Amino acid sequence: MTELSATDPTDPDVDLRIPDQRRELFREHRAVLAVVALGGGLGALGRYGITQAMPTAPGHFPWATFCTNLSGCFAIGILMVLVTEVWSAHRLIRPFLGTGLLGGFTTFSTYTVEIHDLLRPGAAITGLVYLFATLLGALVAVFLGVTCARITFLRKKIRRVQR
């Protein structure tokens, strides 16, 4: 197996060293890039608002990040059911809402920094609780989001078909 380098193309049919192919790649994907950027900015603003409303003192459990990540995971579970099982969604809905909005809203990079900061003498127990509570909570939140969406939206869809 060969190792990939940073200069290897992500699409084997595109050679990014060739200007025409770079332009073609951008032209084909500019709408996706735009909606991901817009959604990411909006999601980050939402996350910023929560961190301002729920500040965390050093050495304490970071409730803002915890709540943000779990609610974002719950929303991702709902979204994936909607775009894969309920709607015939426009091709830009998933990149805008999933990758952009919810990707910008959730913040697992901040989560790792906060764990690193908490894993010091005096706060290590809090750090370990935060580490495992977020991992378990995120998985449960996605599962609950998927389950709630299926119960809510697919039940309504079945009723409509039966009429």
Side-chain angles (χ1 to χ4, degrees):
M1 184 173 208
T2 61
E3 253 186 68
L4 293 175
S5 74
T7 59
D8 289 339
T10 56
D11 184 342
D13 299 334
V14 176
D15 187 344
L16 296 177
R17 294 170 291 205
I18 300 172
D20 285 343
Q21 289 189 13
R22 274 198 313 264
R23 281 190 293 277
E24 179 183 340
L25 184 66
F26 177 73
R27 267 193 312 273
E28 289 180 16
H29 297 290
R30 72 175 151 218
V32 173
L33 294 171
V35 298
V36 168
L38 178 63
L42 293 172
L45 286 172
R47 181 180 72 232
Y48 176 76
I50 291 172
T51 60
Q52 292 303 300
M54 301 171 68
T56 301
H60 289 85
F61 194 92
W63 285 104
T65 305
F66 183 75
C67 292
T68 298
N69 285 338
L70 268 57
S71 62
C73 286
F74 181 78
I76 286 169
I78 293 171
L79 175 67
M80 289 302 108
V81 169
L82 290 175
V83 299
T84 61
E85 299 175 27
V86 178
W87 299 335
S88 294
H90 187 277
R91 70 179 188 90
L92 296 177
I93 292 292
R94 194 165 164 177
F96 173 71
L97 294 175
T99 306
L101 187 75
L102 295 173
F105 180 70
T106 57
T107 177
F108 287 90
S109 57
T110 300
Y111 160 72
T112 59
V113 170
E114 289 170 340
I115 290 168
H116 179 267
D117 291 344
L118 287 170
L119 291 178
R120 296 172 191 218
I125 298 295
T126 303
L128 290 172
V129 168
Y130 179 49
L131 170 74
F132 292 110
T134 299
L135 289 175
L136 181 61
L139 292 172
V140 169
V142 170
F143 175 78
L144 289 174
V146 167
T147 302
C148 290
R150 284 183 175 152
I151 289 169
T152 303
F153 298 109
L154 294 180
R155 183 179 291 167
K156 287 179 184 177
K157 192 174 184 179
I158 291 168
R159 282 188 202 145
R160 271 187 258 139
V161 170
Q162 289 175 344
R163 290 182 187 168

